[in-house]
Amino acid sequence: MAGRLDAYSLTIPVTLPSNQTVDNTGRIEESFSRAGASSAVSWGYNDALNLGDKGIDVSGAHGIAIGCKDGSVFILRSASTVLPPNISVSIPPTTELTSPPTSPRRYRGLGHPSSRSASPSSSIKPSLSPFQVTRSRAVSSVSTESAEAPKNYVDFDEEQERLRGMLKGKGNRDRHGSSSSRTRPERESFTSTQAGSTVGSGLRREDTRSYLSAALSPASSTLSLSDPPSPTLAPAPSPEPTGPYSLKLRCHVFPPHAVSSSVVSALKVHENGKYISCLDESGGLSVHSTLDGSCVASIVVEPQPKPHGSGKSQTSPSVLWVWRSLLVAASEESILLFACASPDEFYPTNQFLDSGSSDAENQSLVVTYELTLGPGAAPGEATLQCLGQWPVDGPLDSIGLRAEQDHSLTLFHADAAGHLVSRSLRVNEPPPSPADLPGSHSSGHLPLPNPFKALKAPSADNIADTARDALPDRIEIGPAVDHGELGLTEPLLGLRAQDNDGDVALCAWSAHELIVGRWTADCVTTLPVAVAAGARDARFVHQGRLAVLFADRLVVYDIPAAGDAVPPKVVQTAPVSKYDAALLVPGGHVISTHVKNDRRRVYLTIAQAPAPDSLTENARTRTLWKARRNLTLNEPVPLISCTLPIELDCLLLGYTDGHLRRTSLLDIARSAEACSHTSDVPLSGSIVCLDAVQDPRTGERLVVGGADDGTIAVWTLETLKLCARWTLFTTSLARVIPLLEARVGRLHGCVLCASHDGTIAVIAIDGYQFVYLVPASAAPLKRICLGEDNLLLVYTDGRARLWDTRTREFWRSMSVEKGEELVHQGGWLSWSMDRSLEKRPALSSPRLAALDAAPTVLLDVPALLRQLSAAPAASSTASPSLSPNAKLERVRALLSILLTFGISEGIDTICTENLAIKLTFVTSGTASAETLTIVPQPNVSSVWTLSPDASADRAIAILAMLQSLTQFEDLLQDANTVMTFYAASIGQLVADHQSPSLSRLAHHLLHTQSADVRHAVRLLLDAGVARLSDQETAELVEAWQQYLPSVRVEKEKDLPQSAKALCICGFVAVDKYSLLPTATLTEIAKSIGVYLHDETSPHRSLAIDLCSRGFQVWQQYVDAVEMLRALFTLATTSKKEAIAVPNIGVQARSAVLQIAAGNTPLFMTTLALDILHPRSVQHRKSVMQLVIFLIRKKPLVLYGNLPRLVEAIVKSLDPNSSASRDAVLDSATEILGHIVDTFPTVDFHMGSQRLAVGTSEGAVVMYDLKTATRLYVLEGHKKRTTACSFSPDGRRLVTVSLEESDVLVWKVGSSFTSLFMPGAPPRQGHAGSEPYKTLNFHIGDAANMSLEATLANVRFEWTADRSVRLKIRDSVLTFST
């Protein structure tokens, strides 16, 4: 796939329609029928004979995954699958914590090697000279430029003069007479991987049996349990798959790095069919869910350089490894994956074999990875870590694993001499510091001077020793132990093993022989050789029976006793239909697949006990699945063969008829076949690759693309006029690299067009001129580097080639390590052929050639929301000049793609009539980390029945996009109605609805930065928690609480599963705290505190969110004051890292407002304490800034506690603490100014430095800011004081109480008596404490107003020192004081 899919992204793939229907099943089935099957794996077929025959419930219990030659995988599950409810998918598996175990690992699974090609022609290697010359032809009705591709394969040992001639356009035709393509022939590969239930099934925690017994003991044989049916001449497949055997096409998965040349070579099953591992020949290793194909972990298997004696990495030998099989061993801590490779048979062997080494065909390489599936195994949370690698001197198909009685592992294989060799394996625990673990396979860099710019070699003294030390492998390999000869007279092709209570049964075969023996601790003993030509796979049915698969039959052998010197005896032969790929399942049965009458079919051949005096015709073949429609190879209607999204208003589509068409999402929303422009001249083949470039001189935007016949073409983007075309390649175009930067040297303004076989064409955009051709290598091209006049090409075999772009000459060949040293000097630009490493734009194409994936466009929902935000500042890159109405139309177009019409008539009416969203006929799949999944959608509701994770992604995308409609006032109510439906009600109308997974929702909340997406996630989390029953709630929290940060060790607190556990448990506790025990609530509250107080935690945003939502719950179990103080600090932080999205400061301030409104007494107490007794002066300033924020945003929160707050502020200005006063003076002055401006109950007189504060009890408190003391209290009102005000001269204070309808006038100036009675109010001119004047007024209902209304509608205005006006709403009263 092209472009990087972030593991945390929310990407929805949509497939453009080819007709007016939402059913894309036929297109996916046709893609399945066209794809060549290369491997297969199954699960749940332990006793295929009894499936459904004896009332066994097989719902969701069995399935098959079939790997294809285009790198994709089709997953089929039982047609009657009943997926678990929401609670099950939200509960993590019961796993041990990730702390290092205190006892040795106990392995409980056996991985068998995969067989080589099982096709009839697999043993015939086509003759292919590595020096064949490719055809070269320039075809163009626009340009007369002729381009010649003289050679598509170049050996590193070729002389330089020949290469110089090629770059100059001189053909090298005298070497060979033929000019056929160098393209490697497709291997008819077949995988004999065992059924997942016993082979690599991941019996990790659900089964307490030992690794040894679970892995090597056979399943119960079905050969003698059933009565033989009537003899038949051949298997008779049922016309339609029905009953418990039938399967349903679940999804079409394109793993990371899936390209047309990446043949899926091996598949393995984990967790009883929950996950599958996929290995392709180029080394792509990924783990996927069998529910929806989502990728939970992926990596590229690469050989590591061997360490030197000094500990440094030495130069890797030049070798092209083909990864062909996968072994599995499972323990309680993790799963070990052993990727096995053998050299490419078409690669020149003299370039990688060391002197004295054995034959290349017997060289193998094993690289081990540790797979750790976290709770829920969300993308980005499962890990694949390399443990080590070692070579094997023996054929690849002889490599296997067994477990010893002490649960340790032993790797065995046959060596070149035909002996059985074993080596013990020991896995060491990782180093204490995660930073020391190998994070990638990239080689270290040495800042060497450029050897091609100097005449002599540089001195070693000038080389900085910056190479990364080679890290020790975590897996230790014991010495090789030779157990004796296996007994074959021909080269071994395959080896299988099974434990038999103390010894191990062995079966080995060659091209014409088959031998069975036993492996004991001392040696190997074998029976005489049996003649068995063309064996492809074997499996022990039980101790006495062996099933062997051939090209056209299944043969069951009876194994004689150990003392009998006779070969195995054939007891049954069952015919098997021709197959592309097949595997033996427990019981000796066969699952196979092939295309018949242009329709892909999957069969299960069940071996039966033979009839008397008969060895054949006793088998039943059941059709598990078949495509419903025939292939339409000569379709009259052209189909979309590739897409290139430029922006929302420009989408380019390449077609199978060679035409290029342009449309937009708006056009697609209006019509399924709307295209505004079509290219004038078609190409001769299907367009399979498109890229946009720009002419650096004219600024004209152009499109460079290629067809499947090797043609390259250039069109104008505006009119789609064909400007030029050339036929340069023998394989299709794979990569277009525009060279627009000045430092590219003389190639500035050109584009590099790289084909799938590594040939590179240099095209000058200005003038549409073909410049020259760089031929391919025997190994696939991995990376292109360009620096000034040097072009460095890195290949997958560990070699790099340097070309001079000025003279167009080949300079030299070097190791990858030397090439990395050269690039590390700087001044180089680098591009990877794997476009999955690139960051994707908001709209992108997966760049896949499959029939069902080619018309797909990937929608990055958060990026689109940023582009289409109503706020212009939020639109960073896309269409900043669009008007709000234009953006609204684009949101509607996107919603027409995302919404599922036809489920609710009422919601459909609201969407079409009120929101103006039209129905479109696009279909959508799922996307995870670098993986695309195409999902059959026979009806509109199918997207909601795939998996809980898929439902979560779809619901989030819909709600987030609908949220953008709420910014338009006339659409607010209807948008909220539709949001409520998709969040809480859709499950009631969709049969087999998969409720959004709480685990997946938590995953997005933790990693998504978009505010609209986070809001949507919160809505769905609330709805999901509300749907839980009491029992489900208890089970969910009980399962997740073991991962809470408060109960984990220090290094595990910030792990994704810990944060996810807190998210799920926290949301549940807020809504259903009464159902949870006190201990659980305490741990949840403590976990919030762990993240909240940890300045380095990446999950503080989650802690703030939970504080805001459930502070009243948490305050009972933790120090609520400290929690508030932490929020105060975060709310006022000014650190740079706090400005990230989501902005921690903004989020903390929002939480403070929420808590202040819901728990005002505690909040005000904490606020006052932090002002009076701060931890530091800076902390006091921060709290004061928070007060200003509260005054602006939520003044009513402070209204009832103003006297307490003001007193704390006044005391902070104590003149006896001059340093503290100086530090907070500006903040305190600013706060008091905001208080006086906002609250009419507070007034300040500048001249006298007096501050008056009215209280809810009717009293007025007078403060002196010069001394920071309370002077006295004026008690006149019996009810709440509404407002107060000083006269201009400061000698009068008037107060009003609307509840009493009285205005009181007080003398507050300095008097003679105040000198003798400090703290006493001034004399009012009469005895007692009565006010100087009491004035009554009556304004009727105008005086009845809320507290919030008094803030804006009650004010005093002084017209003179003794005359004041009181304004109450529209009423004006004038008083003399």
Side-chain angles (χ1 to χ4, degrees):
M1 291 178 60
R4 181 174 61 85
L5 265 178
D6 192 346
Y8 308 127
S9 67
L10 177 61
T11 302
I12 304 296
V14 296
T15 303
L16 305 182
S18 58
N19 48 41
Q20 296 287 334
T21 177
V22 296
D23 187 359
N24 64 339
T25 306
R27 182 160 41 186
I28 299 176
E29 290 181 352
E30 184 170 349
S31 180
F32 193 9
S33 299
R34 291 186 179 187
S38 59
S39 59
V41 72
S42 69
W43 59 94
Y45 285 93
N46 292 354
D47 194 0
L49 277 176
N50 292 328
L51 282 180
D53 293 347
K54 298 181 179 180
I56 301 175
D57 182 12
V58 296
S59 297
H62 58 286
I64 298 174
I66 298 177
C68 300
K69 296 178 182 179
D70 63 355
S72 66
V73 178
F74 289 87
I75 297 178
L76 301 95
R77 294 177 65 97
S78 51
S80 56
T81 296
V82 178
L83 294 180
N86 179 52
I87 181 69
S88 298
V89 296
S90 296
I91 290 181
T94 306
T95 61
E96 299 293 333
L97 300 182
T98 57
S99 302
T102 57
S103 59
R105 301 186 180 211
R106 301 167 62 89
Y107 295 98
R108 299 178 298 187
L110 178 69
H112 294 287
S114 302
S115 294
R116 288 184 175 226
S117 173
S119 66
S121 60
S122 61
S123 60
I124 303 175
K125 294 184 180 180
S127 60
L128 178 64
S129 170
F131 302 102
Q132 289 174 343
V133 183
T134 62
R135 65 188 177 97
S136 171
R137 181 165 51 95
V139 181
S140 176
S141 60
V142 181
S143 172
T144 59
E145 177 74 32
S146 296
E148 186 174 42
K151 188 173 180 183
N152 259 40
Y153 175 89
V154 176
D155 184 35
F156 287 129
D157 294 337
E158 286 280 334
E159 57 186 1
Q160 297 185 10
E161 289 298 324
R162 192 179 303 276
L163 295 172
R164 292 191 186 102
M166 293 175 190
L167 283 181
K168 294 177 180 178
K170 299 177 182 179
N172 183 29
R173 307 179 184 216
D174 56 341
R175 186 176 182 96
H176 292 282
S178 64
S179 60
S180 60
S181 171
R182 157 60 185 85
T183 306
R184 185 182 307 149
E186 295 184 352
R187 299 180 180 89
E188 298 291 339
S189 58
F190 155 80
T191 298
S192 60
T193 48
Q194 310 299 317
S197 57
T198 60
V199 183
S201 60
L203 303 175
R204 297 167 44 184
R205 297 158 187 95
E206 297 77 14
D207 197 336
T208 58
R209 295 176 297 172
S210 70
Y211 172 83
L212 185 65
S213 61
L216 292 177
S217 60
S220 301
S221 174
T222 60
L223 296 177
S224 59
L225 296 180
S226 302
D227 296 331
S230 301
T232 56
L233 294 178
S238 58
E240 292 293 339
T242 57
Y245 299 94
S246 62
L247 296 173
K248 180 180 179 181
L249 181 57
R250 188 77 183 172
C251 54
H252 186 191
V253 184
F254 294 87
H257 320 292
V259 294
S260 58
S261 58
S262 299
V263 178
V264 177
S265 56
L267 296 168
K268 290 293 181 180
V269 176
H270 313 294
E271 301 282 355
N272 298 325
K274 187 175 182 181
Y275 302 103
I276 57 171
S277 292
C278 173
L279 176 69
D280 64 45
E281 290 186 350
S282 60
L285 177 61
S286 54
V287 183
H288 301 265
S289 166
T290 59
L291 277 181
D292 55 16
S294 58
C295 179
V296 298
S298 68
I299 202 168
V300 177
V301 182
E302 292 180 337
Q304 299 295 301
K306 297 179 181 179
H308 242 291
S310 61
K312 306 296 182 181
S313 297
Q314 67 179 6
T315 300
S316 301
S318 174
V319 59
L320 181 58
W321 294 105
V322 179
W323 302 92
R324 304 185 190 274
S325 68
L326 192 64
L327 311 180
V328 178
S331 71
E332 291 189 351
E333 291 79 19
S334 60
I335 299 173
L336 298 185
L337 302 177
F338 297 78
C340 305
S342 61
D344 188 342
E345 57 265 36
F346 302 109
Y347 189 80
T349 58
N350 61 347
Q351 296 198 38
F352 67 88
L353 285 180
D354 298 330
S355 59
S357 62
S358 59
D359 188 7
E361 293 185 356
N362 292 322
Q363 294 294 306
S364 302
L365 180 67
V366 178
V367 181
T368 306
Y369 287 87
E370 183 178 40
L371 170 63
T372 304
L373 295 170
E381 296 179 6
T383 59
L384 277 170
Q385 183 184 10
C386 184
L387 301 184
Q389 69 178 35
W390 62 94
V392 173
D393 185 13
L396 178 139
D397 280 344
S398 69
I399 303 174
L401 292 172
R402 67 164 294 193
E404 304 298 340
Q405 295 292 344
D406 61 354
H407 303 282
S408 63
L409 285 175
T410 296
L411 181 135
F412 62 87
H413 64 91
D415 62 11
H419 288 234
L420 180 67
V421 178
S422 69
R423 305 176 73 176
S424 62
L425 303 180
R426 174 185 175 85
V427 180
N428 299 319
E429 295 304 325
S433 175
D436 296 334
L437 296 178
S440 66
H441 302 294
S442 61
S443 302
H445 304 296
L446 290 175
L448 293 175
N450 189 342
F452 307 105
K453 295 297 183 182
L455 297 178
K456 62 179 181 179
S459 171
D461 297 335
N462 299 326
I463 301 175
D465 186 12
T466 59
R468 185 179 63 186
D469 292 345
L471 295 170
D473 292 342
R474 281 184 52 201
I475 193 164
E476 295 181 7
I477 311 298
V481 179
D482 192 332
H483 299 277
E485 189 176 359
L486 290 172
L488 293 173
T489 62
E490 300 176 334
L492 182 142
L493 295 182
L495 178 64
R496 298 291 180 267
Q498 176 176 284
D499 178 66
N500 284 335
D501 299 329
D503 59 9
V504 177
L506 296 176
C507 172
W509 67 90
S510 63
H512 301 91
E513 300 173 339
L514 183 141
I515 195 168
V516 176
R518 295 184 184 278
W519 171 19
T520 61
D522 299 327
C523 61
V524 173
T525 58
T526 59
L527 298 173
V529 174
V531 177
R536 300 190 175 185
D537 194 17
R539 186 183 187 107
F540 288 95
V541 179
H542 53 71
Q543 292 187 17
R545 289 288 173 89
L546 173 70
V548 180
L549 179 64
F550 294 82
D552 58 352
R553 67 192 185 279
L554 172 68
V555 179
V556 179
Y557 291 86
D558 189 12
I559 303 174
D564 298 339
V566 295
K569 179 184 177 182
V570 177
V571 296
Q572 182 187 2
T573 300
V576 176
S577 300
K578 177 184 176 182
Y579 53 82
D580 300 331
L583 68 152
L584 288 168
V585 298
H589 315 300
V590 180
I591 291 178
S592 60
T593 177
H594 76 282
V595 177
K596 180 180 179 181
N597 297 329
D598 295 333
R599 299 167 69 185
R600 170 71 62 184
R601 300 161 190 258
V602 181
Y603 296 128
L604 171 64
T605 301
I606 304 173
Q608 303 275 324
D613 302 326
S614 176
L615 299 180
T616 60
E617 290 119 18
N618 287 282
R620 289 187 297 166
T621 297
R622 300 290 185 93
T623 302
L624 300 180
W625 181 88
K626 70 177 180 180
R628 298 179 300 174
R629 305 171 187 175
N630 294 333
L631 291 175
T632 53
L633 299 178
N634 298 317
E635 298 170 354
V637 179
L639 300 177
I640 299 174
S641 54
C642 70
T643 61
L644 177 62
I646 305 295
E647 54 191 19
L648 286 172
D649 293 335
C650 183
L651 176 61
L652 298 181
L653 305 177
Y655 280 79
T656 54
D657 62 356
H659 277 288
L660 182 64
R661 294 175 174 88
R662 191 175 70 200
T663 184
S664 68
L665 283 182
L666 284 174
D667 295 335
I668 293 173
R670 299 186 184 104
S671 171
E673 301 177 355
C675 290
S676 57
H677 291 81
T678 301
S679 59
D680 52 350
V681 179
L683 301 185
S684 55
S686 299
I687 299 178
V688 294
C689 181
L690 292 171
D691 269 289
V693 300
Q694 188 173 21
D695 188 329
R697 184 181 64 85
T698 64
E700 184 182 16
R701 301 178 70 184
L702 304 170
V703 178
V704 178
D708 57 3
D709 63 347
T711 300
I712 300 176
V714 180
W715 299 268
T716 61
L717 178 61
E718 183 67 25
T719 63
L720 299 187
K721 178 184 177 181
L722 183 64
C723 302
R725 62 176 174 179
W726 308 268
T727 300
L728 303 175
F729 302 141
T730 57
T731 58
S732 59
L733 179 66
R735 187 81 159 88
V736 176
I737 302 173
L739 305 177
L740 301 180
E741 297 191 27
R743 54 177 173 161
V744 298
R746 64 183 62 254
L747 293 184
H748 177 70
C750 296
V751 293
L752 301 181
C753 299
S755 67
H756 280 100
D757 66 358
T759 306
I760 299 176
V762 181
I763 306 292
I765 290 298
D766 191 8
Y768 316 120
Q769 296 294 316
F770 166 74
V771 183
Y772 57 85
L773 203 68
V774 181
S777 169
L781 180 62
K782 183 179 180 180
R783 192 150 57 100
I784 300 174
C785 305
L786 185 62
E788 295 182 356
D789 294 335
N790 294 321
L791 177 65
L792 183 70
L793 305 180
V794 181
Y795 296 90
T796 57
D797 61 351
R799 303 296 297 175
R801 292 163 57 187
L802 188 69
W803 299 80
D804 190 319
T805 60
R806 180 176 55 85
T807 63
R808 306 180 186 180
E809 294 179 340
F810 172 69
W811 274 87
R812 60 165 291 185
S813 170
M814 67 186 78
S815 67
V816 169
E817 288 77 15
K818 292 295 183 181
E820 293 287 351
E821 295 170 6
L822 184 63
V823 173
H824 188 65
Q825 298 178 32
W828 290 79
L829 296 173
S830 180
W831 301 270
S832 173
M833 288 296 292
D834 183 4
R835 303 193 68 166
S836 64
L837 303 176
E838 300 176 359
K839 186 176 180 180
R840 289 180 177 271
L843 289 177
S844 59
S845 169
R847 299 180 183 271
L848 296 169
L851 179 65
D852 51 348
T856 300
V857 175
L858 302 175
L859 307 180
D860 187 333
V861 176
L864 288 171
L865 288 170
R866 288 193 296 269
Q867 292 183 4
L868 296 173
S869 172
S875 301
S876 57
T877 58
S879 305
S881 60
L882 287 178
S883 65
N885 288 336
K887 293 179 181 179
L888 175 60
E889 288 303 313
R890 284 150 182 78
V891 172
R892 285 169 170 160
L894 291 171
L895 282 170
S896 69
I897 294 172
L898 296 173
L899 295 176
T900 49
F901 291 86
I903 296 177
S904 169
E905 183 178 353
I907 294 298
D908 290 350
T909 301
I910 293 176
C911 292
T912 56
E913 296 182 3
N914 300 357
L915 298 178
I917 301 172
K918 298 181 179 180
L919 169 67
T920 58
F921 295 96
V922 300
T923 56
S924 63
T926 64
S928 55
E930 304 174 20
T931 300
L932 171 67
T933 302
I934 305 296
V935 182
Q937 296 178 27
N939 53 65
V940 293
S941 62
S942 300
V943 293
W944 301 105
T945 62
L946 179 63
S947 71
D949 284 357
S951 295
D953 287 356
R954 183 64 173 250
I956 294 172
I958 291 175
L959 265 63
M961 203 61 67
L962 285 169
Q963 178 68 24
S964 61
L965 291 184
T966 60
Q967 301 170 0
F968 299 89
E969 186 176 353
D970 56 331
L971 304 178
L972 174 62
Q973 183 175 354
D974 292 321
N976 285 332
T977 300
V978 180
M979 290 173 65
T980 303
F981 170 76
Y982 280 98
S985 304
I986 190 172
Q988 303 172 11
L989 301 179
V990 175
D992 300 326
H993 175 260
Q994 294 298 301
S995 299
S997 165
L998 298 183
S999 175
R1000 181 68 171 171
L1001 295 174
H1003 167 82
H1004 280 298
L1005 185 65
L1006 292 172
H1007 301 110
T1008 303
Q1009 298 179 347
S1010 169
D1012 287 335
V1013 172
R1014 294 174 65 85
H1015 178 73
V1017 170
R1018 293 188 188 99
L1019 290 178
L1020 291 168
L1021 276 171
D1022 290 336
V1025 170
R1027 281 193 296 266
L1028 297 176
S1029 65
D1030 292 353
Q1031 181 179 355
E1032 289 174 337
T1033 300
E1035 293 175 356
L1036 180 68
V1037 175
E1038 182 181 1
W1040 279 101
Q1041 66 181 358
Q1042 62 179 316
Y1043 300 102
L1044 288 172
S1046 62
V1047 300
R1048 310 287 304 261
V1049 297
E1050 185 65 29
K1051 67 177 183 180
E1052 296 175 347
K1053 290 180 179 179
D1054 286 330
L1055 292 178
Q1057 57 263 40
S1058 299
K1060 187 187 293 186
L1062 178 57
C1063 180
I1064 294 175
C1065 294
F1067 270 81
V1068 171
V1070 169
D1071 190 54
K1072 300 188 175 185
Y1073 62 89
S1074 61
L1075 300 177
L1076 305 184
T1078 301
T1080 300
L1081 291 172
T1082 302
E1083 294 301 335
I1084 296 174
K1086 287 181 178 178
S1087 298
I1088 295 174
V1090 168
Y1091 285 160
L1092 196 63
H1093 294 91
D1094 185 0
E1095 294 184 359
T1096 63
S1097 174
H1099 305 300
R1100 299 182 92 178
S1101 175
L1102 172 63
I1104 295 171
D1105 199 353
L1106 291 175
C1107 280
S1108 175
R1109 300 173 67 87
F1111 184 81
Q1112 293 183 343
V1113 177
W1114 321 131
Q1115 68 177 352
Q1116 304 176 43
Y1117 306 99
V1118 293
D1119 189 340
V1121 173
E1122 286 302 316
M1123 186 174 283
L1124 268 177
R1125 283 174 175 162
L1127 288 175
F1128 290 171
T1129 302
L1130 292 174
T1132 56
T1133 184
S1134 58
K1135 294 182 180 179
K1136 254 186 188 179
E1137 55 267 25
I1139 307 178
V1141 180
N1143 192 315
I1144 296 296
V1146 172
Q1147 193 178 4
R1149 288 191 286 273
S1150 177
V1152 166
L1153 292 178
Q1154 188 86 6
I1155 296 171
N1159 198 328
T1160 304
L1162 177 63
F1163 175 81
M1164 294 305 303
T1165 299
T1166 306
L1167 200 64
L1169 285 175
D1170 280 12
I1171 294 176
L1172 290 173
H1173 309 289
R1175 288 175 291 184
S1176 64
V1177 174
Q1178 182 60 39
H1179 179 69
R1180 175 181 280 169
K1181 291 179 63 177
S1182 298
V1183 174
M1184 287 185 174
Q1185 292 174 9
L1186 182 62
V1187 173
I1188 296 174
F1189 171 74
L1190 289 171
I1191 293 173
R1192 292 173 178 171
K1193 297 295 182 180
K1194 286 229 179 218
L1196 288 181
V1197 171
L1198 303 176
Y1199 193 95
N1201 295 273
L1202 269 179
R1204 190 174 185 178
L1205 175 63
V1206 171
E1207 182 161 350
I1209 296 173
V1210 170
K1211 288 185 177 181
S1212 70
L1213 298 174
D1214 187 357
N1216 296 322
S1217 178
S1218 58
S1220 174
R1221 178 187 176 98
D1222 293 342
V1224 301
L1225 181 60
D1226 292 340
S1227 297
T1229 303
E1230 185 179 2
I1231 289 177
L1232 293 177
H1234 282 288
I1235 291 176
V1236 171
D1237 291 340
T1238 304
F1239 300 99
T1241 56
V1242 182
D1243 197 25
F1244 174 70
H1245 186 260
M1246 179 66 70
S1248 62
Q1249 290 290 295
R1250 300 290 176 87
L1251 181 70
V1253 182
T1255 66
S1256 59
E1257 293 81 13
V1260 178
V1261 184
M1262 187 70 68
Y1263 293 96
D1264 183 4
L1265 296 190
K1266 291 183 293 186
T1267 59
T1269 58
R1270 179 195 293 188
L1271 293 178
Y1272 46 79
V1273 178
L1274 302 175
E1275 297 179 341
H1277 295 293
K1278 305 302 180 185
K1279 296 183 180 180
R1280 180 185 301 274
T1281 303
T1282 306
C1284 66
S1285 180
F1286 283 101
S1287 63
D1289 61 1
R1291 304 184 63 83
R1292 295 287 187 272
L1293 176 72
V1294 292
T1295 63
V1296 60
S1297 173
L1298 292 183
E1299 297 178 17
E1300 296 178 342
S1301 297
D1302 288 337
V1303 172
L1304 304 183
V1305 181
W1306 303 87
K1307 289 183 178 181
V1308 293
S1310 300
S1311 63
F1312 183 75
T1313 58
S1314 62
L1315 299 176
F1316 301 98
M1317 301 178 62
R1323 294 178 60 85
Q1324 302 298 321
H1326 49 72
S1329 59
E1330 295 297 322
Y1332 176 63
K1333 288 183 181 180
T1334 301
L1335 307 172
N1336 300 321
F1337 62 90
H1338 299 281
I1339 57 175
D1341 294 336
N1344 299 328
M1345 64 180 72
S1346 63
L1347 292 179
E1348 184 178 7
T1350 63
L1351 300 183
N1353 297 317
V1354 179
R1355 279 290 183 272
F1356 281 108
E1357 291 183 0
W1358 291 87
T1359 58
D1361 287 344
R1362 298 294 178 266
S1363 178
V1364 63
R1365 291 177 182 172
L1366 173 61
K1367 290 186 176 182
I1368 306 174
R1369 295 188 190 275
D1370 296 332
S1371 302
V1372 179
L1373 305 175
T1374 303
F1375 302 96
S1376 175
T1377 61

